[in-house]
Amino acid sequence: MGTDGDQPVADRPQQSDVAARAGVSLATVDRVLNRRKGVKERTRQRVLEAARELGFLSETEEAQLGMARPLNIVVLLPAGSNPYLRLLGDRLRARLDSAGPSGPVLRCFFIESFSAQALAEALRRNAGWADGIAFFAIEHPVVREAAAEVAASGTRLVSIVSDLGSVPGIGHVGLDNRAVGRTAGLLIGRLSGGREGAVALVAGSRHYRAHSEREAGFLSIQEELFPQLRIHGMREGHDDAAENYRHTLALLEQVPDLVGIYNVGGSSGGITRALREQGRQEVIFIGHGLTPDTRRAVLEGTMDAIFDQDPDMLIDRAIDSLSGPPAVVRPLKLDIYFSENLP
Amino acid sequence: MGTDGDQPVADRPQQSDVAARAGVSLATVDRVLNRRKGVKERTRQRVLEAARELGFLSETEEAQLGMARPLNIVVLLPAGSNPYLRLLGDRLRARLDSAGPSGPVLRCFFIESFSAQALAEALRRNAGWADGIAFFAIEHPVVREAAAEVAASGTRLVSIVSDLGSVPGIGHVGLDNRAVGRTAGLLIGRLSGGREGAVALVAGSRHYRAHSEREAGFLSIQEELFPQLRIHGMREGHDDAAENYRHTLALLEQVPDLVGIYNVGGSSGGITRALREQGRQEVIFIGHGLTPDTRRAVLEGTMDAIFDQDPDMLIDRAIDSLSGPPAVVRPLKLDIYFSENLP
DNA sequence: CAAATAAGATGATGGGTTTTGAGGTGTCCT
DNA sequence: AGGACACCTCAAAACCCATCATCTTATTTG
């Protein structure tokens, strides 16, 4: 026996080792491992953690035991009537339902629109409580400050759709909005077939970088490629249908040679309504967000194209970003819908 | 014995090696390998795992011992120079590398293009051997017959990109090609800005339903919305760049008032080359497949839009379809790229 | 506000069962 | 002979499961 000296067979760990490492009794380890009830979630995690560190469990078992405690994710969206955002909320709920109990828990709160204060406050309020927060960023020092603070405190953050400039430790999931704006400009220019006239740029809100970037991209390509079109800036519609409606009516009256409209923000419903009512469907109109109203508008010919980012993709990527390590994230893909390729 | 002095020759591993690696005794290894009872599932897996790592077992033995064997998937693509298909092949390889050993094993074979016989034969040859086959379908009775047979024999089948009509038990992953054709028609019509003239439809190959469907969609919308454009059918280019080049040169000569081209199939390189050489970049050109050559063509303005289906998405969905139960599959999303939204 | 109470979480323990390790025997093959 | 291994036995170890006591924590009540 003594001959070969008992090869250092890494004695595999016992439940007692796990118990010791987790600082609990065998009984508790047993309860956890056999899925008996009567264990507080915290101790459960301690035990599971210890078990993993000791290599007591195989990967599959870890998964079965729900090692990865479901992430607690909070999503902060601007309140208001914007249909895309409502759709996003719906998809969040759907995703929550469809994913099993092991999936992340998603909670969605609607924040007073365009209020940096309210957003900053919401960020702070949910920090600590949530594992991660995905938020539609308003670019404002107050928000940036709150975000940096929350990120530093350990809560993971990711901005969605609209980002926050570069704040360290905060991810972003969204389109390349400058390219989006340029694409919109290209399409309007091309669809206008060389006509001269005015193109209106509907600014959603300059509080959102996404909007500013789209705007910048749009302006740059117009200047570059379509000098025959002059830009007619329109006041911010604040993603509100009624406001957009009024502005569009005014626009149609003031600018007789209007060729196209690009709505940088949401709530295109007001614009389509105005175009429809004034019988100006020939005006080229591109807007954002594939929703029932834009869908209808494209089908009836009032809108010419919808630019969209798939909400499900957005949610997936946001969750990934909040779950895993900070990875390099490529911008989302821009989906372009015309009347013929609506899903 | 004394001859070679027992150097650590890469001797076939012994049960004792497996035992050591798994951290269990010989008795337990014996129990697992000889399917005796009294082994906890967890340790069983440990032993099996160790055995595999040491290459102790043959494939058949592993299977018999109930190890979760990764799916064996074969992908059959048309041979030829079509860049999109080559890209697809690359992505398959990438996917194979990135997925761990537990992921499905993907093998890709290139079948003589447009040969129904060759495809049918390949289907039969791989049936039984593979768990599932994804194939670019040629519509032909011979293929349909082979597919039905193979599907009946238990091998799962899914057609990709181009389908096979309705053969029971065969899934499909691809675009809604009629809608795609209509979208192409809409875009060319809209981009032509009401000009009169001819639009050329480049038929890839009528062997592919995908191509016929795109063609049908394109024709239907042209007739419906753009009567000022007359369709000028072009002979099948068989997805071959050289052939497409010759055809396009002839086309440009024959049809002086050419307004647009829609290439239903692949290998748009020949067409862009002809357009470029003849200085006819103003001709509106839409083709399929985001590849380095189409990318370049769009950037330099020879192509106006690329219609694409994301290869990775395609692969994912095909694998899903071959792995899980036959689910309802929505058509893939059509990606449309202009010069400004290239990824 | 403090005490009382209830509900939950953890530890301790023990009996019964399963799993495992150690070793023996016999076979096959070199 | 001797290695590799199949097959078996037996006892120790590890584990499952139920029960009960102890301790914590939140809630109700006086």
PDB file of all heavy atoms in Angstrom, chain A residues 66-84:
ATOM      1  N   GLY A  66     -30.666  26.687 -10.165  1.00  0.00           N
ATOM      2  CA  GLY A  66     -30.886  28.122 -10.284  1.00  0.00           C
ATOM      3  C   GLY A  66     -29.777  28.917  -9.657  1.00  0.00           C
ATOM      4  O   GLY A  66     -30.007  29.882  -8.951  1.00  0.00           O
ATOM      5  N   MET A  67     -28.565  28.445  -9.941  1.00  0.00           N
ATOM      6  CA  MET A  67     -27.408  29.168  -9.437  1.00  0.00           C
ATOM      7  C   MET A  67     -27.543  30.646  -9.711  1.00  0.00           C
ATOM      8  O   MET A  67     -27.492  31.472  -8.831  1.00  0.00           O
ATOM      9  CB  MET A  67     -26.147  28.690 -10.163  1.00  0.00           C
ATOM     10  CG  MET A  67     -25.399  27.577  -9.514  1.00  0.00           C
ATOM     11  SD  MET A  67     -24.856  27.983  -7.879  1.00  0.00           S
ATOM     12  CE  MET A  67     -24.062  29.567  -8.135  1.00  0.00           C
ATOM     13  N   ALA A  68     -27.712  30.905 -11.016  1.00  0.00           N
ATOM     14  CA  ALA A  68     -27.818  32.292 -11.392  1.00  0.00           C
ATOM     15  C   ALA A  68     -29.160  32.816 -10.897  1.00  0.00           C
ATOM     16  O   ALA A  68     -30.169  32.667 -11.559  1.00  0.00           O
ATOM     17  CB  ALA A  68     -27.705  32.427 -12.900  1.00  0.00           C
ATOM     18  N   ARG A  69     -29.105  33.366  -9.760  1.00  0.00           N
ATOM     19  CA  ARG A  69     -30.328  33.934  -9.205  1.00  0.00           C
ATOM     20  C   ARG A  69     -30.875  34.930 -10.211  1.00  0.00           C
ATOM     21  O   ARG A  69     -30.115  35.708 -10.802  1.00  0.00           O
ATOM     22  CB  ARG A  69     -29.971  34.620  -7.893  1.00  0.00           C
ATOM     23  CG  ARG A  69     -30.842  35.803  -7.542  1.00  0.00           C
ATOM     24  CD  ARG A  69     -30.205  36.507  -6.386  1.00  0.00           C
ATOM     25  NE  ARG A  69     -28.798  36.826  -6.735  1.00  0.00           N
ATOM     26  CZ  ARG A  69     -28.263  38.013  -6.520  1.00  0.00           C
ATOM     27  NH1 ARG A  69     -28.951  38.957  -5.991  1.00  0.00           N
ATOM     28  NH2 ARG A  69     -27.008  38.249  -6.836  1.00  0.00           N
ATOM     29  N   PRO A  70     -32.147  34.850 -10.434  1.00  0.00           N
ATOM     30  CA  PRO A  70     -32.694  35.727 -11.467  1.00  0.00           C
ATOM     31  C   PRO A  70     -32.340  37.182 -11.214  1.00  0.00           C
ATOM     32  O   PRO A  70     -32.538  37.683 -10.110  1.00  0.00           O
ATOM     33  CB  PRO A  70     -34.197  35.496 -11.380  1.00  0.00           C
ATOM     34  CG  PRO A  70     -34.424  34.715 -10.124  1.00  0.00           C
ATOM     35  CD  PRO A  70     -33.159  34.034  -9.789  1.00  0.00           C
ATOM     36  N   LEU A  71     -31.832  37.801 -12.215  1.00  0.00           N
ATOM     37  CA  LEU A  71     -31.461  39.201 -12.099  1.00  0.00           C
ATOM     38  C   LEU A  71     -32.690  40.066 -11.911  1.00  0.00           C
ATOM     39  O   LEU A  71     -33.743  39.789 -12.469  1.00  0.00           O
ATOM     40  CB  LEU A  71     -30.742  39.665 -13.354  1.00  0.00           C
ATOM     41  CG  LEU A  71     -29.277  39.306 -13.496  1.00  0.00           C
ATOM     42  CD1 LEU A  71     -28.685  40.042 -14.671  1.00  0.00           C
ATOM     43  CD2 LEU A  71     -28.547  39.659 -12.221  1.00  0.00           C
ATOM     44  N   ASN A  72     -32.503  41.084 -11.169  1.00  0.00           N
ATOM     45  CA  ASN A  72     -33.566  42.027 -10.910  1.00  0.00           C
ATOM     46  C   ASN A  72     -33.307  43.246 -11.768  1.00  0.00           C
ATOM     47  O   ASN A  72     -32.428  44.039 -11.464  1.00  0.00           O
ATOM     48  CB  ASN A  72     -33.501  42.418  -9.441  1.00  0.00           C
ATOM     49  CG  ASN A  72     -34.855  42.409  -8.834  1.00  0.00           C
ATOM     50  OD1 ASN A  72     -35.813  42.775  -9.521  1.00  0.00           O
ATOM     51  ND2 ASN A  72     -34.954  41.990  -7.594  1.00  0.00           N
ATOM     52  N   ILE A  73     -34.049  43.360 -12.826  1.00  0.00           N
ATOM     53  CA  ILE A  73     -33.751  44.444 -13.745  1.00  0.00           C
ATOM     54  C   ILE A  73     -34.887  45.453 -13.796  1.00  0.00           C
ATOM     55  O   ILE A  73     -36.060  45.079 -13.882  1.00  0.00           O
ATOM     56  CB  ILE A  73     -33.465  43.890 -15.160  1.00  0.00           C
ATOM     57  CG1 ILE A  73     -32.146  43.119 -15.134  1.00  0.00           C
ATOM     58  CG2 ILE A  73     -33.407  45.000 -16.183  1.00  0.00           C
ATOM     59  CD1 ILE A  73     -31.758  42.543 -16.454  1.00  0.00           C
ATOM     60  N   VAL A  74     -34.530  46.684 -13.722  1.00  0.00           N
ATOM     61  CA  VAL A  74     -35.514  47.754 -13.797  1.00  0.00           C
ATOM     62  C   VAL A  74     -35.314  48.506 -15.107  1.00  0.00           C
ATOM     63  O   VAL A  74     -34.179  48.762 -15.511  1.00  0.00           O
ATOM     64  CB  VAL A  74     -35.359  48.724 -12.613  1.00  0.00           C
ATOM     65  CG1 VAL A  74     -36.162  49.979 -12.834  1.00  0.00           C
ATOM     66  CG2 VAL A  74     -35.782  48.041 -11.330  1.00  0.00           C
ATOM     67  N   VAL A  75     -36.393  48.784 -15.758  1.00  0.00           N
ATOM     68  CA  VAL A  75     -36.318  49.529 -17.000  1.00  0.00           C
ATOM     69  C   VAL A  75     -37.052  50.854 -16.808  1.00  0.00           C
ATOM     70  O   VAL A  75     -38.200  50.869 -16.360  1.00  0.00           O
ATOM     71  CB  VAL A  75     -36.957  48.747 -18.160  1.00  0.00           C
ATOM     72  CG1 VAL A  75     -36.806  49.507 -19.457  1.00  0.00           C
ATOM     73  CG2 VAL A  75     -36.339  47.378 -18.275  1.00  0.00           C
ATOM     74  N   LEU A  76     -36.376  51.915 -17.114  1.00  0.00           N
ATOM     75  CA  LEU A  76     -36.982  53.234 -16.948  1.00  0.00           C
ATOM     76  C   LEU A  76     -37.255  53.831 -18.320  1.00  0.00           C
ATOM     77  O   LEU A  76     -36.347  54.061 -19.104  1.00  0.00           O
ATOM     78  CB  LEU A  76     -36.037  54.159 -16.176  1.00  0.00           C
ATOM     79  CG  LEU A  76     -35.587  53.663 -14.803  1.00  0.00           C
ATOM     80  CD1 LEU A  76     -34.612  54.647 -14.168  1.00  0.00           C
ATOM     81  CD2 LEU A  76     -36.784  53.454 -13.899  1.00  0.00           C
ATOM     82  N   LEU A  77     -38.525  54.056 -18.598  1.00  0.00           N
ATOM     83  CA  LEU A  77     -38.897  54.630 -19.881  1.00  0.00           C
ATOM     84  C   LEU A  77     -39.614  55.948 -19.658  1.00  0.00           C
ATOM     85  O   LEU A  77     -40.237  56.151 -18.621  1.00  0.00           O
ATOM     86  CB  LEU A  77     -39.817  53.673 -20.633  1.00  0.00           C
ATOM     87  CG  LEU A  77     -39.242  52.311 -20.982  1.00  0.00           C
ATOM     88  CD1 LEU A  77     -40.307  51.459 -21.656  1.00  0.00           C
ATOM     89  CD2 LEU A  77     -38.045  52.476 -21.900  1.00  0.00           C
ATOM     90  N   PRO A  78     -39.550  56.834 -20.624  1.00  0.00           N
ATOM     91  CA  PRO A  78     -40.288  58.085 -20.500  1.00  0.00           C
ATOM     92  C   PRO A  78     -41.784  57.804 -20.537  1.00  0.00           C
ATOM     93  O   PRO A  78     -42.251  56.983 -21.334  1.00  0.00           O
ATOM     94  CB  PRO A  78     -39.876  58.880 -21.754  1.00  0.00           C
ATOM     95  CG  PRO A  78     -38.694  58.178 -22.314  1.00  0.00           C
ATOM     96  CD  PRO A  78     -38.794  56.770 -21.880  1.00  0.00           C
ATOM     97  N   ALA A  79     -42.504  58.443 -19.705  1.00  0.00           N
ATOM     98  CA  ALA A  79     -43.957  58.335 -19.757  1.00  0.00           C
ATOM     99  C   ALA A  79     -44.446  59.059 -21.001  1.00  0.00           C
ATOM    100  O   ALA A  79     -43.660  59.660 -21.734  1.00  0.00           O
ATOM    101  CB  ALA A  79     -44.566  58.954 -18.508  1.00  0.00           C
ATOM    102  N   GLY A  80     -45.715  59.009 -21.228  1.00  0.00           N
ATOM    103  CA  GLY A  80     -46.255  59.731 -22.375  1.00  0.00           C
ATOM    104  C   GLY A  80     -46.929  58.789 -23.351  1.00  0.00           C
ATOM    105  O   GLY A  80     -46.998  57.589 -23.140  1.00  0.00           O
ATOM    106  N   SER A  81     -47.371  59.377 -24.420  1.00  0.00           N
ATOM    107  CA  SER A  81     -48.225  58.621 -25.321  1.00  0.00           C
ATOM    108  C   SER A  81     -47.441  57.948 -26.437  1.00  0.00           C
ATOM    109  O   SER A  81     -48.016  57.288 -27.285  1.00  0.00           O
ATOM    110  CB  SER A  81     -49.257  59.560 -25.939  1.00  0.00           C
ATOM    111  OG  SER A  81     -48.581  60.589 -26.644  1.00  0.00           O
ATOM    112  N   ASN A  82     -46.153  58.116 -26.466  1.00  0.00           N
ATOM    113  CA  ASN A  82     -45.343  57.543 -27.534  1.00  0.00           C
ATOM    114  C   ASN A  82     -45.629  56.044 -27.735  1.00  0.00           C
ATOM    115  O   ASN A  82     -45.334  55.238 -26.867  1.00  0.00           O
ATOM    116  CB  ASN A  82     -43.870  57.757 -27.193  1.00  0.00           C
ATOM    117  CG  ASN A  82     -42.959  57.319 -28.307  1.00  0.00           C
ATOM    118  OD1 ASN A  82     -43.256  56.367 -29.001  1.00  0.00           O
ATOM    119  ND2 ASN A  82     -41.861  58.020 -28.463  1.00  0.00           N
ATOM    120  N   PRO A  83     -46.182  55.701 -28.879  1.00  0.00           N
ATOM    121  CA  PRO A  83     -46.608  54.307 -29.068  1.00  0.00           C
ATOM    122  C   PRO A  83     -45.454  53.312 -29.059  1.00  0.00           C
ATOM    123  O   PRO A  83     -45.616  52.184 -28.599  1.00  0.00           O
ATOM    124  CB  PRO A  83     -47.274  54.320 -30.446  1.00  0.00           C
ATOM    125  CG  PRO A  83     -47.504  55.738 -30.788  1.00  0.00           C
ATOM    126  CD  PRO A  83     -46.478  56.530 -30.047  1.00  0.00           C
ATOM    127  N   TYR A  84     -44.324  53.734 -29.553  1.00  0.00           N
ATOM    128  CA  TYR A  84     -43.193  52.799 -29.565  1.00  0.00           C
ATOM    129  C   TYR A  84     -42.798  52.421 -28.147  1.00  0.00           C
ATOM    130  O   TYR A  84     -42.532  51.263 -27.846  1.00  0.00           O
ATOM    131  CB  TYR A  84     -42.001  53.406 -30.295  1.00  0.00           C
ATOM    132  CG  TYR A  84     -40.802  52.488 -30.321  1.00  0.00           C
ATOM    133  CD1 TYR A  84     -40.759  51.398 -31.180  1.00  0.00           C
ATOM    134  CD2 TYR A  84     -39.722  52.698 -29.472  1.00  0.00           C
ATOM    135  CE1 TYR A  84     -39.675  50.547 -31.205  1.00  0.00           C
ATOM    136  CE2 TYR A  84     -38.630  51.846 -29.490  1.00  0.00           C
ATOM    137  CZ  TYR A  84     -38.607  50.776 -30.352  1.00  0.00           C
ATOM    138  OH  TYR A  84     -37.528  49.928 -30.369  1.00  0.00           O
TER     139      TYR A  84
END
